[in-house]
Amino acid sequence: MKRISAAVALAAAGALVISGCAAGGGDSNNDDSGLVEGSSITAAWNQAFYSMNGNTSFGNATANNNINYLVLDGFNYYNNTPELVENTSFGSYEMVSEDPLTVKYTINEDAKWSDGAPVDASDLMLHWAALSRALDTPDFDPADFTDPDTGEFTEEFPTDVVYFDSGATPTSGLGLVSATPEVGDDGRSVTLTYDAPYVDWELAFATMGSMLPAHIVGKKALGIDDNEEASKAVLDAIENNDAADLAPVSAFWNSGFNFTEMPDDADLVVASGPYMISDYVADQYVTLTANPEYTGDNAPNIEEITIRFISDPLAAVQALENGEVDIIQPQATADITTALDGIDGITVDTSLGGTYEHVDLQFDQGKNPQNIFSNAKAREAFMKVIPRQEIVDTLIKPIIGDEAIVRNSQIFVPGAEGYDESVEANGSDAYADVDIEGAKALLAESGITDTSVCILYASNNPRRVNEFALIQASAAQAGFNVTDCGSEEWGGLLGTPGAYDASLFGWQSTSLGVTNSLPTFETGGINNMNFYSSAPADDVIAQLNTEFDEQKKIDLQIELDKTLWSDFYGVTIFQFPEVTAVSDRVTNVTSSILAPTVFWNAWDWQVADSGSEE
């Protein structure tokens, strides 16, 4: 029997991760729940995994973090309420002082990596060094050492610089922890002291899916075979600010965990979470197997979860109907909802999710020889030709009807407190309708002679292909020559100098923290893929980082939203409709509006009928 439910998710803006689409054990007779040997299910996702480090500008993508969430344990995570859950079976944290803000993190004694090495202060300290960048070589710019075709660092990247590619800035998050933390409790705790108050301190450090194994980094970067010695070497390098050792350590942290098939070196998939990567066939699937060293509360019921990569949403539906996959969350289209209506034996949930579609313009280092969007009039002109309402009417309303609306804020989710007030003041109404004549006049005033605009988007995503076509046709009427920079590897190309002029993709919320979307707009922030830099925006962001008053936080976000629209940052288009379809042979599957959406409680999934065919 098929069951259908609908809900509209309303939440404050949170941390953002690049979305590939709207996303996309024991048996039921065991009341105690527990691992059922030999049990397995298959889920589908639209984009292939490519990095176990989701903290870099290259690896920060939903396709990676769905899996990283299950293989890398941490101090807390969000459930599907959504509310923040402290993962006390991994460790604990406490604020020991408000002034200065001081927080102590302690790892439980029985926490281990899958190779048996203990999770300890070396892991915590490496995480701090990477996400604070407090030990980085000053003023180093990696732009000249980034491959425009892949988005990865080139072999010419200097070997003598310390550079952690986390996008941390000194005004927010762990960037505010400039002093080296204090190690305690026989190497199981670290105490962080902030330079200034930070409102979202509870979300800043080692949440689930983010902390990598220091002993593996030490082994690979420093050529040390013994786990304990490697771990100690990383810790010593950090505590002594030893640039000679920190340079290779940072280089390996940046790129060493990037892979597109099962690595020959098993060290690269060492895990601390309930699952570990056990197999990976390029462009086909990743298999996760229950981690035998895991002792936490989120012990899995199902022994093996395979995540197949199916870029075509209709193909994912077909795979579900054929029994080849059990869980899908394809990008929702009218064809998808119609196809799902014809399948029995599944549960279908529809909602508005935490992802929003948008177009960003490259303020610097675009593909156009004249760097077209460094020109404010050209940016404003292009925003006027993007057919936002037509995109919603044509592609989104057939899925969810009148719930589909144009999103008019860079900061607030429609329906959230502050959204209506911000939309009234931010200037987005200037782009409610396409204005071809206004765009022509602005383009003429700009002095730009090369009007080519190459747009980066997911070329294997049918909805994005349709959006690109609508934008291309509209822009042509105003004199823009929109060209195709679409790629299946679009996620890794975001932020790559010279690769494109505008980008069409989705940001997906990963938390409800007010500050965690700010690295998208802050100068040098990890999510700042378009080289946007604004002193007024940076000033508001700095204030938001330290503001605890709820109304003042809303007021500051409204001010930031207005600044972004007046700077012609780009346009928001719509909030994603989300469709989750689950075979009735799997139970306890629920989705969250926050990443990792349907995977948030994969350890609770159960096979309803252990005798069913796979």
Side-chain angles (χ1 to χ4, degrees):
M1 176 181 179
K2 177 172 62 188
R3 299 174 293 279
I4 300 177
S5 66
V8 178
L10 301 177
L16 302 178
V17 65
I18 299 163
S19 173
C21 82
D27 62 38
S28 59
N29 297 318
N30 183 358
D31 292 337
D32 294 330
S33 295
L35 186 68
V36 174
E37 293 186 9
S39 58
S40 64
I41 67 157
T42 301
W45 198 256
N46 75 311
Q47 184 183 4
F49 174 88
Y50 59 90
S51 179
M52 213 166 98
N53 189 350
N55 289 307
T56 66
S57 59
F58 176 77
N60 177 34
T62 301
N64 298 324
N65 290 336
N66 289 341
I67 292 169
N68 295 335
Y69 175 85
L70 296 174
V71 303
L72 299 172
D73 214 358
F75 287 103
N76 54 37
Y77 62 95
Y78 277 96
N79 63 19
N80 66 333
T81 301
E83 60 186 2
L84 192 65
V85 178
E86 186 173 350
N87 185 16
T88 56
S89 65
F90 174 75
S92 61
Y93 54 91
E94 60 174 332
M95 182 192 294
V96 296
S97 170
E98 289 188 5
D99 187 16
L101 175 61
T102 306
V103 186
K104 181 179 180 180
Y105 292 85
T106 306
I107 298 287
N108 290 350
E109 290 186 5
D110 59 352
K112 294 181 179 179
W113 294 97
S114 56
D115 61 358
V119 182
D120 60 21
S122 65
D123 304 303
L124 301 175
M125 291 291 276
L126 176 60
H127 195 67
W128 164 78
L131 271 69
S132 71
R133 297 181 58 202
L135 307 179
D136 276 19
T137 301
D139 302 322
F140 173 72
D141 184 353
D144 291 337
F145 309 101
T146 304
D147 188 333
D149 295 323
T150 66
E152 293 190 88
F153 292 143
T154 65
E155 293 182 359
E156 288 74 32
F157 195 96
T159 59
D160 60 348
V161 299
V162 180
Y163 180 79
F164 287 99
D165 180 34
S166 68
T169 62
T171 58
S172 63
L174 290 183
L176 288 166
V177 185
S178 60
T180 302
E182 178 183 343
V183 175
D185 296 282
D186 295 323
R188 290 190 300 106
S189 73
V190 298
T191 300
L192 282 60
T193 301
Y194 283 75
D195 303 330
Y198 181 61
V199 62
D200 286 330
W201 64 268
E202 199 169 3
L203 303 173
F205 191 73
T207 58
M208 192 173 292
S210 63
M211 191 171 70
L212 293 164
H215 68 287
I216 298 301
V217 174
K219 288 172 73 173
K220 306 308 170 186
L222 303 176
I224 301 172
D225 294 331
D226 182 78
N227 284 345
E228 186 175 354
E229 291 180 12
S231 177
K232 185 178 186 303
V234 171
L235 182 57
D236 288 346
I238 293 169
E239 291 192 309
N240 298 325
N241 195 4
D242 182 348
D245 280 352
L246 286 173
V249 163
S250 64
F252 191 86
W253 186 89
N254 291 337
S255 305
F257 293 95
N258 298 341
F259 50 87
T260 55
E261 61 184 350
M262 192 65 185
D264 293 332
D265 187 350
D267 282 350
L268 299 184
V269 293
V270 166
S272 57
Y275 284 96
M276 56 187 296
I277 297 173
S278 57
D279 192 17
Y280 182 8
V281 175
D283 298 320
Q284 295 187 40
Y285 62 83
V286 162
T287 297
L288 305 178
T289 302
N291 177 2
E293 295 290 341
Y294 180 76
T295 59
D297 290 344
N298 297 326
N301 295 321
I302 297 174
E303 185 172 39
E304 186 176 277
I305 297 175
T306 295
I307 301 172
R308 281 185 55 188
F309 309 129
I310 305 176
S311 59
D312 185 338
L314 284 172
V317 172
Q318 187 65 56
L320 178 68
E321 184 173 18
N322 294 344
E324 298 167 8
V325 301
D326 303 293
I327 301 169
I328 65 172
Q329 201 170 60
Q331 190 162 95
T333 65
D335 289 343
I336 292 299
T337 54
T338 299
L340 289 170
D341 282 343
I343 303 175
D344 290 325
I346 64 172
T347 298
V348 179
D349 289 325
T350 63
S351 65
L352 281 178
T355 301
Y356 69 94
E357 192 84 329
H358 65 288
V359 173
D360 288 352
L361 308 180
Q362 297 305 98
F363 279 64
D364 193 13
Q365 303 190 56
K367 186 179 180 71
N368 179 299
Q370 292 184 330
N371 202 21
I372 185 170
F373 291 137
S374 64
N375 185 301
K377 290 185 182 297
R379 294 197 303 274
E380 184 181 4
F382 196 73
M383 288 168 62
K384 285 181 175 293
V385 302
I386 297 176
R388 302 161 72 214
Q389 188 65 57
E390 183 182 7
I391 289 171
V392 170
D393 291 345
T394 304
L395 303 177
I396 310 304
K397 280 192 176 180
I399 306 169
I400 53 175
D402 290 339
E403 290 178 4
I405 59 173
V406 173
R407 171 167 164 158
N408 288 310
S409 172
Q410 294 279 3
I411 304 297
F412 295 96
V413 176
E417 185 179 4
Y419 177 82
D420 291 340
E421 186 180 355
S422 189
V423 170
E424 186 176 345
N426 65 16
S428 60
D429 57 346
Y431 312 99
D433 300 307
V434 170
D435 180 6
I436 299 299
E437 294 307 314
K440 283 181 178 179
L442 284 165
L443 194 56
E445 293 172 17
S446 73
I448 294 290
T449 57
D450 185 339
T451 64
S452 61
V453 175
C454 202
I455 299 181
L456 175 68
Y457 65 97
S459 60
N460 57 349
N461 184 311
R463 190 164 75 200
R464 294 260 166 75
V465 171
N466 289 331
E467 287 180 70
F468 170 79
L470 290 172
I471 294 170
Q472 184 182 47
S474 178
Q477 297 178 56
F480 286 102
N481 174 29
V482 172
T483 58
D484 193 334
C485 272
S487 170
E488 294 186 15
E489 284 73 46
W490 62 275
L493 290 172
L494 281 170
T496 301
Y500 58 96
D501 301 302
S503 54
L504 171 67
F505 67 103
W507 280 124
Q508 184 174 43
S509 295
T510 64
S511 90
L512 300 182
V514 67
T515 65
N516 290 339
S517 63
L518 304 184
T520 304
F521 311 112
E522 184 177 23
T523 301
I526 186 174
N527 288 349
N528 189 334
M529 304 293 185
N530 60 341
F531 306 99
Y532 173 70
S533 182
S534 161
D538 288 344
D539 180 61
V540 173
I541 289 168
Q543 293 180 63
L544 272 167
N545 284 323
T546 61
E547 181 55 68
F548 287 77
D549 182 86
E550 293 302 321
Q551 185 57 52
K552 289 181 180 178
K553 284 191 286 189
I554 290 175
D555 292 343
L556 285 168
Q557 290 178 88
I558 290 172
E559 184 179 346
L560 177 59
D561 203 16
K562 184 176 182 179
T563 297
L564 294 169
W565 285 94
S566 63
D567 284 343
F568 315 115
Y569 179 90
V571 297
T572 51
I573 305 178
F574 57 83
Q575 208 69 24
F576 271 42
E578 210 166 73
V579 174
T580 305
V582 183
S583 165
D584 288 349
R585 70 177 291 268
V586 186
T587 61
N588 296 340
V589 180
T590 61
S591 193
S592 171
I593 64 168
L594 302 177
T597 60
V598 73
F599 294 100
W600 80 268
N601 71 331
W603 49 79
D604 287 332
W605 296 350
Q606 293 182 306
V607 178
D609 180 3
S610 58
S612 296
E613 293 182 358
E614 296 299 323

